[in-house]
Amino acid sequence: MYDKNNIFAKILRGEISCKKVYEDKFVLAFEDINPQTKIHVLVIPKGEYVNMDDFSKNAKSIEIEGLIRGIGIVSAMLGVDKTGYRYLGNNGIDAGQEVPHLHFHIFGGEKIGKMINK
Ligand code: AMP
């Protein structure tokens, strides 16, 4: 069940500010408040989806396309399409998902290292 009071929902409603990188009909992208790499941006769909399970089952095709294209647009805007980047999504408890609104992390701007640290 989607929690309308999660922090990204508040950002989408403009109740909390963010450092916006990009916005269109389907996505909002903004800088992560606690960056893990030189470039760390979050790309979120505008629709109310908890995570990838929810999104993959319930989003309209146009929303799925919009999110994937949005990640590409943002990566190009950040310039990491040239240098490489990691796009990552945490889904649920074992992945340590903190915010229950679907989001992709874009990490880049430097060598990132190992894919998984336990
Ligand atoms: P996850 O663990 O995948 O749910 O990641 C949540 C991310 O949201 C973390 O990297 C946080 O630093 C980031 N975050 C939490 N609150 C904010 C906020 N108000 N603005 C930007 N990023 C945030």
Short mmCIF file of all heavy atoms in Angstrom, two decimals, residues 21-24 26-30 39 41-45 52 55 63-82 84-89 102-107:
data_model
loop_
_atom_site.label_atom_id
_atom_site.label_comp_id
_atom_site.label_asym_id
_atom_site.label_seq_id
_atom_site.Cartn_x
_atom_site.Cartn_y
_atom_site.Cartn_z
N VAL A 21 17.06 18.21 -10.95
CA VAL A 21 17.95 18.03 -12.10
C VAL A 21 17.13 18.02 -13.39
O VAL A 21 17.54 18.57 -14.41
CB VAL A 21 18.74 16.70 -11.97
CG1 VAL A 21 19.52 16.37 -13.23
CG2 VAL A 21 19.68 16.76 -10.76
N TYR A 22 15.94 17.41 -13.33
CA TYR A 22 15.14 17.26 -14.54
C TYR A 22 13.70 16.92 -14.13
O TYR A 22 13.48 16.26 -13.11
CB TYR A 22 15.69 16.12 -15.41
CG TYR A 22 14.85 15.82 -16.62
CD1 TYR A 22 14.83 16.68 -17.71
CD2 TYR A 22 14.06 14.66 -16.67
CE1 TYR A 22 14.04 16.40 -18.82
CE2 TYR A 22 13.27 14.38 -17.78
CZ TYR A 22 13.27 15.26 -18.85
OH TYR A 22 12.48 15.00 -19.94
N GLU A 23 12.77 17.36 -14.95
CA GLU A 23 11.37 17.00 -14.73
C GLU A 23 10.65 16.94 -16.06
O GLU A 23 10.87 17.78 -16.94
CB GLU A 23 10.70 18.04 -13.82
CG GLU A 23 9.25 17.72 -13.51
CD GLU A 23 8.63 18.65 -12.46
OE1 GLU A 23 9.24 19.71 -12.18
OE2 GLU A 23 7.56 18.30 -11.94
N ASP A 24 9.81 15.96 -16.24
CA ASP A 24 8.89 15.95 -17.37
C ASP A 24 7.56 15.36 -16.89
O ASP A 24 7.32 15.27 -15.69
CB ASP A 24 9.49 15.23 -18.60
CG ASP A 24 9.74 13.75 -18.38
OD1 ASP A 24 9.11 13.15 -17.48
OD2 ASP A 24 10.57 13.18 -19.12
N PHE A 26 6.51 12.43 -16.77
CA PHE A 26 6.56 11.11 -16.13
C PHE A 26 7.52 11.00 -14.96
O PHE A 26 7.34 10.13 -14.12
CB PHE A 26 6.93 10.04 -17.17
CG PHE A 26 5.92 9.94 -18.27
CD1 PHE A 26 6.20 10.43 -19.54
CD2 PHE A 26 4.68 9.37 -18.04
CE1 PHE A 26 5.26 10.35 -20.56
CE2 PHE A 26 3.74 9.28 -19.04
CZ PHE A 26 4.03 9.79 -20.30
N VAL A 27 8.55 11.81 -14.95
CA VAL A 27 9.59 11.64 -13.92
C VAL A 27 10.03 12.97 -13.32
O VAL A 27 9.89 14.04 -13.93
CB VAL A 27 10.86 10.94 -14.49
CG1 VAL A 27 10.55 9.58 -15.03
CG2 VAL A 27 11.57 11.80 -15.50
N LEU A 28 10.57 12.84 -12.12
CA LEU A 28 11.31 13.93 -11.48
C LEU A 28 12.67 13.36 -11.10
O LEU A 28 12.76 12.23 -10.60
CB LEU A 28 10.58 14.40 -10.22
CG LEU A 28 11.27 15.48 -9.39
CD1 LEU A 28 11.35 16.80 -10.17
CD2 LEU A 28 10.55 15.71 -8.06
N ALA A 29 13.73 14.13 -11.36
CA ALA A 29 15.08 13.73 -10.97
C ALA A 29 15.67 14.82 -10.10
O ALA A 29 15.54 16.01 -10.40
CB ALA A 29 15.95 13.49 -12.20
N PHE A 30 16.32 14.40 -9.02
CA PHE A 30 16.91 15.37 -8.09
C PHE A 30 18.12 14.75 -7.42
O PHE A 30 18.29 13.52 -7.38
CB PHE A 30 15.87 15.83 -7.04
CG PHE A 30 15.15 14.72 -6.34
CD1 PHE A 30 15.60 14.23 -5.12
CD2 PHE A 30 14.01 14.15 -6.89
CE1 PHE A 30 14.94 13.21 -4.46
CE2 PHE A 30 13.34 13.11 -6.23
CZ PHE A 30 13.80 12.65 -5.02
N ILE A 39 28.61 12.09 -8.38
CA ILE A 39 27.26 12.34 -8.93
C ILE A 39 26.34 11.27 -8.36
O ILE A 39 26.64 10.07 -8.46
CB ILE A 39 27.28 12.27 -10.47
CG1 ILE A 39 28.08 13.45 -11.04
CG2 ILE A 39 25.86 12.23 -11.02
CD1 ILE A 39 28.30 13.38 -12.54
N VAL A 41 22.20 10.97 -8.25
CA VAL A 41 20.90 11.56 -8.57
C VAL A 41 19.84 10.47 -8.48
O VAL A 41 20.10 9.30 -8.81
CB VAL A 41 20.94 12.21 -9.97
CG1 VAL A 41 19.56 12.56 -10.49
CG2 VAL A 41 21.83 13.45 -9.95
N LEU A 42 18.66 10.86 -8.03
CA LEU A 42 17.52 9.93 -7.96
C LEU A 42 16.53 10.27 -9.07
O LEU A 42 16.24 11.45 -9.30
CB LEU A 42 16.83 10.05 -6.60
CG LEU A 42 17.72 9.78 -5.39
CD1 LEU A 42 16.98 10.15 -4.10
CD2 LEU A 42 18.16 8.32 -5.35
N VAL A 43 16.04 9.25 -9.73
CA VAL A 43 15.00 9.43 -10.75
C VAL A 43 13.77 8.69 -10.26
O VAL A 43 13.83 7.48 -9.98
CB VAL A 43 15.44 8.88 -12.12
CG1 VAL A 43 14.37 9.18 -13.16
CG2 VAL A 43 16.79 9.46 -12.55
N ILE A 44 12.66 9.43 -10.14
CA ILE A 44 11.44 8.80 -9.61
C ILE A 44 10.28 9.02 -10.59
O ILE A 44 10.20 10.06 -11.26
CB ILE A 44 11.07 9.34 -8.21
CG1 ILE A 44 10.56 10.79 -8.26
CG2 ILE A 44 12.25 9.25 -7.27
CD1 ILE A 44 10.05 11.29 -6.90
N PRO A 45 9.39 8.02 -10.67
CA PRO A 45 8.19 8.24 -11.48
C PRO A 45 7.24 9.19 -10.74
O PRO A 45 7.26 9.25 -9.51
CB PRO A 45 7.59 6.83 -11.58
CG PRO A 45 8.02 6.14 -10.33
CD PRO A 45 9.38 6.72 -9.98
N MET A 52 9.55 -1.62 -7.41
CA MET A 52 9.52 -2.22 -8.74
C MET A 52 8.45 -3.30 -8.85
O MET A 52 7.85 -3.47 -9.92
CB MET A 52 10.91 -2.78 -9.10
CG MET A 52 11.00 -3.33 -10.49
SD MET A 52 10.51 -2.13 -11.77
CE MET A 52 12.01 -1.18 -11.88
N PHE A 55 5.38 -1.29 -9.50
CA PHE A 55 5.46 -0.59 -10.79
C PHE A 55 5.32 -1.57 -11.95
O PHE A 55 4.57 -1.33 -12.90
CB PHE A 55 6.80 0.14 -10.86
CG PHE A 55 6.94 1.09 -12.01
CD1 PHE A 55 6.22 2.28 -12.05
CD2 PHE A 55 7.85 0.83 -13.03
CE1 PHE A 55 6.39 3.18 -13.10
CE2 PHE A 55 8.02 1.73 -14.09
CZ PHE A 55 7.28 2.90 -14.11
N GLU A 63 3.95 4.91 -18.67
CA GLU A 63 4.69 5.31 -17.48
C GLU A 63 6.02 4.54 -17.39
O GLU A 63 7.04 5.09 -16.97
CB GLU A 63 3.87 5.02 -16.22
CG GLU A 63 2.63 5.88 -16.08
CD GLU A 63 1.82 5.49 -14.86
OE1 GLU A 63 1.33 4.35 -14.80
OE2 GLU A 63 1.69 6.33 -13.96
N ILE A 64 5.98 3.26 -17.78
CA ILE A 64 7.21 2.46 -17.78
C ILE A 64 8.19 3.03 -18.79
O ILE A 64 9.37 3.23 -18.50
CB ILE A 64 6.87 0.97 -18.06
CG1 ILE A 64 6.02 0.42 -16.92
CG2 ILE A 64 8.14 0.15 -18.25
CD1 ILE A 64 5.42 -0.95 -17.17
N GLU A 65 7.68 3.33 -19.96
CA GLU A 65 8.54 3.94 -20.98
C GLU A 65 9.08 5.28 -20.49
O GLU A 65 10.27 5.58 -20.64
CB GLU A 65 7.76 4.14 -22.29
CG GLU A 65 8.61 4.82 -23.35
CD GLU A 65 7.89 5.03 -24.67
OE1 GLU A 65 6.82 4.45 -24.87
OE2 GLU A 65 8.43 5.80 -25.49
N GLY A 66 8.22 6.05 -19.87
CA GLY A 66 8.63 7.38 -19.40
C GLY A 66 9.75 7.31 -18.38
O GLY A 66 10.68 8.13 -18.40
N LEU A 67 9.69 6.32 -17.49
CA LEU A 67 10.73 6.20 -16.47
C LEU A 67 12.06 5.77 -17.10
O LEU A 67 13.11 6.35 -16.81
CB LEU A 67 10.29 5.21 -15.38
CG LEU A 67 11.32 4.94 -14.28
CD1 LEU A 67 11.71 6.22 -13.56
CD2 LEU A 67 10.78 3.92 -13.28
N ILE A 68 12.00 4.79 -17.97
CA ILE A 68 13.25 4.29 -18.58
C ILE A 68 13.86 5.39 -19.46
O ILE A 68 15.07 5.65 -19.41
CB ILE A 68 12.97 3.01 -19.41
CG1 ILE A 68 12.44 1.90 -18.51
CG2 ILE A 68 14.24 2.57 -20.14
CD1 ILE A 68 13.36 1.46 -17.39
N ARG A 69 13.03 6.05 -20.23
CA ARG A 69 13.57 7.16 -21.05
C ARG A 69 14.09 8.28 -20.16
O ARG A 69 15.10 8.91 -20.46
CB ARG A 69 12.50 7.70 -22.00
CG ARG A 69 12.15 6.72 -23.10
CD ARG A 69 11.60 7.42 -24.33
NE ARG A 69 11.07 6.45 -25.27
CZ ARG A 69 11.79 5.74 -26.13
NH1 ARG A 69 13.10 5.89 -26.18
NH2 ARG A 69 11.22 4.89 -26.96
N GLY A 70 13.42 8.51 -19.07
CA GLY A 70 13.86 9.56 -18.13
C GLY A 70 15.25 9.28 -17.59
O GLY A 70 16.08 10.19 -17.48
N ILE A 71 15.52 8.02 -17.26
CA ILE A 71 16.86 7.67 -16.78
C ILE A 71 17.90 7.98 -17.86
O ILE A 71 18.97 8.54 -17.57
CB ILE A 71 16.90 6.18 -16.37
CG1 ILE A 71 16.03 5.96 -15.13
CG2 ILE A 71 18.34 5.72 -16.11
CD1 ILE A 71 15.77 4.50 -14.79
N GLY A 72 17.57 7.67 -19.09
CA GLY A 72 18.50 7.98 -20.19
C GLY A 72 18.69 9.47 -20.38
O GLY A 72 19.83 9.95 -20.57
N ILE A 73 17.61 10.22 -20.30
CA ILE A 73 17.70 11.68 -20.47
C ILE A 73 18.56 12.28 -19.36
O ILE A 73 19.44 13.11 -19.61
CB ILE A 73 16.28 12.31 -20.46
CG1 ILE A 73 15.51 11.90 -21.71
CG2 ILE A 73 16.36 13.84 -20.34
CD1 ILE A 73 14.01 12.19 -21.64
N VAL A 74 18.30 11.87 -18.13
CA VAL A 74 19.04 12.42 -16.99
C VAL A 74 20.52 12.04 -17.08
O VAL A 74 21.40 12.87 -16.82
CB VAL A 74 18.42 11.94 -15.66
CG1 VAL A 74 19.29 12.30 -14.48
CG2 VAL A 74 17.02 12.54 -15.50
N SER A 75 20.80 10.82 -17.46
CA SER A 75 22.20 10.39 -17.58
C SER A 75 22.93 11.24 -18.61
O SER A 75 24.08 11.64 -18.38
CB SER A 75 22.25 8.91 -18.00
OG SER A 75 21.57 8.14 -17.06
N ALA A 76 22.26 11.55 -19.71
CA ALA A 76 22.88 12.40 -20.73
C ALA A 76 23.06 13.82 -20.20
O ALA A 76 24.10 14.46 -20.44
CB ALA A 76 22.03 12.40 -21.99
N MET A 77 22.07 14.31 -19.46
CA MET A 77 22.19 15.67 -18.90
C MET A 77 23.36 15.77 -17.93
O MET A 77 24.04 16.80 -17.86
CB MET A 77 20.91 16.04 -18.13
CG MET A 77 19.75 16.38 -19.02
SD MET A 77 18.32 16.78 -18.02
CE MET A 77 18.85 18.31 -17.30
N LEU A 78 23.59 14.71 -17.18
CA LEU A 78 24.68 14.69 -16.19
C LEU A 78 26.03 14.44 -16.85
O LEU A 78 27.08 14.62 -16.21
CB LEU A 78 24.41 13.60 -15.15
CG LEU A 78 23.17 13.78 -14.28
CD1 LEU A 78 22.87 12.50 -13.51
CD2 LEU A 78 23.36 14.96 -13.32
N GLY A 79 26.01 13.97 -18.10
CA GLY A 79 27.25 13.67 -18.82
C GLY A 79 27.81 12.29 -18.53
O GLY A 79 28.84 11.91 -19.09
N VAL A 80 27.13 11.53 -17.68
CA VAL A 80 27.66 10.22 -17.32
C VAL A 80 27.39 9.17 -18.40
O VAL A 80 27.92 8.06 -18.33
CB VAL A 80 27.14 9.73 -15.94
CG1 VAL A 80 27.66 10.61 -14.83
CG2 VAL A 80 25.61 9.67 -15.92
N ASP A 81 26.59 9.54 -19.38
CA ASP A 81 26.42 8.63 -20.52
C ASP A 81 27.76 8.45 -21.24
O ASP A 81 28.00 7.42 -21.86
CB ASP A 81 25.34 9.13 -21.48
CG ASP A 81 25.65 10.52 -22.05
OD1 ASP A 81 26.33 11.31 -21.37
OD2 ASP A 81 25.21 10.80 -23.18
N LYS A 82 28.64 9.45 -21.12
CA LYS A 82 29.96 9.37 -21.77
C LYS A 82 30.96 8.60 -20.92
O LYS A 82 31.83 7.93 -21.44
CB LYS A 82 30.53 10.78 -21.99
CG LYS A 82 29.58 11.77 -22.64
CD LYS A 82 29.62 11.66 -24.15
CE LYS A 82 28.88 12.79 -24.83
NZ LYS A 82 27.51 12.98 -24.36
N GLY A 84 30.22 6.62 -18.04
CA GLY A 84 29.72 5.41 -17.37
C GLY A 84 29.05 5.75 -16.06
O GLY A 84 29.37 6.74 -15.40
N TYR A 85 28.13 4.91 -15.70
CA TYR A 85 27.38 5.14 -14.45
C TYR A 85 26.70 3.84 -14.04
O TYR A 85 26.64 2.88 -14.81
CB TYR A 85 26.35 6.24 -14.63
CG TYR A 85 25.28 5.99 -15.66
CD1 TYR A 85 24.04 5.51 -15.30
CD2 TYR A 85 25.52 6.23 -17.02
CE1 TYR A 85 23.05 5.27 -16.24
CE2 TYR A 85 24.54 6.01 -17.97
CZ TYR A 85 23.31 5.53 -17.59
OH TYR A 85 22.34 5.29 -18.52
N ARG A 86 26.21 3.83 -12.80
CA ARG A 86 25.42 2.69 -12.32
C ARG A 86 24.02 3.17 -12.02
O ARG A 86 23.86 4.20 -11.34
CB ARG A 86 26.06 2.11 -11.06
CG ARG A 86 25.28 0.92 -10.49
CD ARG A 86 26.07 0.20 -9.40
NE ARG A 86 27.30 -0.33 -9.95
CZ ARG A 86 28.49 -0.33 -9.32
NH1 ARG A 86 28.59 0.15 -8.10
NH2 ARG A 86 29.55 -0.83 -9.90
N TYR A 87 23.04 2.48 -12.53
CA TYR A 87 21.66 2.77 -12.14
C TYR A 87 21.20 1.62 -11.26
O TYR A 87 21.42 0.46 -11.57
CB TYR A 87 20.74 2.98 -13.35
CG TYR A 87 20.76 1.89 -14.37
CD1 TYR A 87 19.83 0.87 -14.34
CD2 TYR A 87 21.72 1.88 -15.39
CE1 TYR A 87 19.84 -0.15 -15.28
CE2 TYR A 87 21.75 0.87 -16.32
CZ TYR A 87 20.82 -0.13 -16.27
OH TYR A 87 20.86 -1.15 -17.20
N LEU A 88 20.61 1.96 -10.13
CA LEU A 88 20.35 0.95 -9.10
C LEU A 88 19.02 1.22 -8.41
O LEU A 88 18.68 2.38 -8.13
CB LEU A 88 21.50 1.00 -8.09
CG LEU A 88 21.49 0.02 -6.92
CD1 LEU A 88 22.92 -0.38 -6.58
CD2 LEU A 88 20.84 0.63 -5.70
N GLY A 89 18.30 0.17 -8.15
CA GLY A 89 17.06 0.30 -7.40
C GLY A 89 17.02 -0.68 -6.25
O GLY A 89 17.32 -1.86 -6.43
N LEU A 102 9.03 4.28 -5.58
CA LEU A 102 10.03 3.74 -6.51
C LEU A 102 11.04 4.81 -6.93
O LEU A 102 10.67 5.93 -7.29
CB LEU A 102 9.32 3.20 -7.76
CG LEU A 102 10.24 2.71 -8.88
CD1 LEU A 102 11.08 1.52 -8.44
CD2 LEU A 102 9.42 2.37 -10.11
N HIS A 103 12.30 4.46 -6.87
CA HIS A 103 13.35 5.38 -7.33
C HIS A 103 14.54 4.61 -7.86
O HIS A 103 14.87 3.54 -7.34
CB HIS A 103 13.80 6.33 -6.20
CG HIS A 103 14.16 5.64 -4.92
ND1 HIS A 103 13.21 5.19 -4.04
CD2 HIS A 103 15.36 5.33 -4.38
CE1 HIS A 103 13.81 4.63 -2.99
NE2 HIS A 103 15.12 4.68 -3.18
N PHE A 104 15.15 5.17 -8.88
CA PHE A 104 16.43 4.66 -9.37
C PHE A 104 17.50 5.62 -8.93
O PHE A 104 17.36 6.84 -9.07
CB PHE A 104 16.44 4.57 -10.89
CG PHE A 104 15.85 3.28 -11.42
CD1 PHE A 104 14.54 3.23 -11.84
CD2 PHE A 104 16.63 2.13 -11.49
CE1 PHE A 104 13.99 2.05 -12.32
CE2 PHE A 104 16.09 0.95 -11.97
CZ PHE A 104 14.77 0.91 -12.38
N HIS A 105 18.58 5.07 -8.40
CA HIS A 105 19.78 5.86 -8.13
C HIS A 105 20.61 5.89 -9.40
O HIS A 105 20.75 4.87 -10.08
CB HIS A 105 20.63 5.19 -7.04
CG HIS A 105 19.95 5.06 -5.71
ND1 HIS A 105 20.25 5.87 -4.64
CD2 HIS A 105 19.01 4.19 -5.27
CE1 HIS A 105 19.52 5.49 -3.60
NE2 HIS A 105 18.76 4.47 -3.96
N ILE A 106 21.20 7.04 -9.71
CA ILE A 106 22.24 7.12 -10.74
C ILE A 106 23.52 7.54 -10.03
O ILE A 106 23.59 8.62 -9.43
CB ILE A 106 21.88 8.14 -11.84
CG1 ILE A 106 20.65 7.65 -12.59
CG2 ILE A 106 23.05 8.33 -12.80
CD1 ILE A 106 20.18 8.59 -13.68
N PHE A 107 24.51 6.65 -10.08
CA PHE A 107 25.81 6.91 -9.46
C PHE A 107 26.84 7.11 -10.56
O PHE A 107 26.88 6.32 -11.52
CB PHE A 107 26.27 5.71 -8.62
CG PHE A 107 25.38 5.35 -7.48
CD1 PHE A 107 24.59 4.20 -7.53
CD2 PHE A 107 25.34 6.12 -6.33
CE1 PHE A 107 23.79 3.84 -6.46
CE2 PHE A 107 24.53 5.76 -5.26
CZ PHE A 107 23.75 4.62 -5.32
#
